[in-house]
Amino acid sequence: MKKTTSIYSIGRRQLLGGGLSILAMCVLGACGWRLRGKVDLPYKNILISGNLTQELRDDLDMLLRVNDIQIVKAAKDAELILEIISEQNARQVLSYNSAGQITAYRIISRVVFRAFDPNGIELMPESDIYLTRDIDFNQSNIQAFDQQVADYVKDMRMDIVSQLMRRLASIKQLPSKQTPSESQPKSR
């Protein structure tokens, strides 16, 4: 005998949970929320230079490639030069308990950068992206804490890379130099 399910056999909690999920998706869709997609950069060839860790370079490379942007090695081949001036990751004590033991840290990530064209014209002056995350500390589980800090730093680095891409997307591409014959409209 074949077992059939009816709407009455579905639990009220499952039905309510499904209904709330659908309602949440409708509300988020109505307000314009969506997952982050590709970043629309007006540049197709970018040179990355400066003082950056291999992890930051890899994350930048990945996001640029996803957006169909080629990373070049020479300034003459680039439409935009992104210079990472500094990258810093730090840990700061946030609080102590009554016994003088550390109970919380603040994780800090900061990247200072600027962008210019191959002719040296500054398109984005020196700017920085500064992120902090607070994390509780437990003396009894130091190894897990170190892994948690590494995960926070990795997530913060990805957040910095996506913020950097959005800032680069806000830069307007300068018109290329044209010869006088190219700038005049062609007659039919």
Side-chain angles (χ1 to χ4, degrees), residues 62-79:
M62 180 194 63
L63 198 57
L64 288 170
R65 286 198 171 92
V66 164
N67 287 289
D68 300 321
I69 297 168
Q70 184 178 357
I71 300 154
V72 296
K73 301 281 185 198
K76 64 179 174 69
D77 300 328
E79 296 174 40

Side-chain angles (χ1 to χ4, degrees), residues 73-179:
K73 301 281 185 198
K76 64 179 174 69
D77 300 328
E79 296 174 40
L80 178 76
I81 299 170
L82 173 64
E83 180 184 10
I84 305 297
I85 298 168
S86 70
E87 176 187 4
Q88 300 167 341
N89 292 308
R91 188 183 320 183
Q92 184 180 60
V93 175
L94 194 57
S95 66
Y96 296 94
N97 64 14
S98 61
Q101 296 173 325
I102 297 171
T103 58
Y105 281 102
R106 175 165 286 156
I107 309 301
I108 302 167
S109 285
R110 181 176 184 233
V111 171
V112 180
F113 66 95
R114 69 185 188 119
F116 52 95
D117 74 355
N119 298 324
I121 298 172
E122 191 171 64
L123 301 174
M124 181 171 281
E126 188 174 305
S127 304
D128 72 332
I129 299 172
Y130 181 85
L131 298 177
T132 63
R133 301 287 188 271
D134 296 341
I135 184 171
D136 291 331
F137 178 69
N138 185 350
Q139 285 288 120
S140 64
N141 204 352
I142 294 175
Q143 288 179 334
F145 175 76
D146 289 340
Q147 182 60 47
Q148 190 176 11
V149 168
D151 290 344
Y152 271 45
V153 169
K154 182 179 178 185
D155 290 343
M156 291 166 71
R157 187 174 52 248
M158 282 305 298
D159 192 15
I160 285 173
V161 168
S162 65
Q163 285 188 41
L164 183 59
M165 289 299 109
R166 287 193 301 274
R167 288 191 190 184
L168 291 178
S170 70
I171 299 173
K172 302 296 182 215
Q173 190 169 21
L174 295 176
S176 60
K177 294 181 181 178
Q178 297 178 342
T179 60

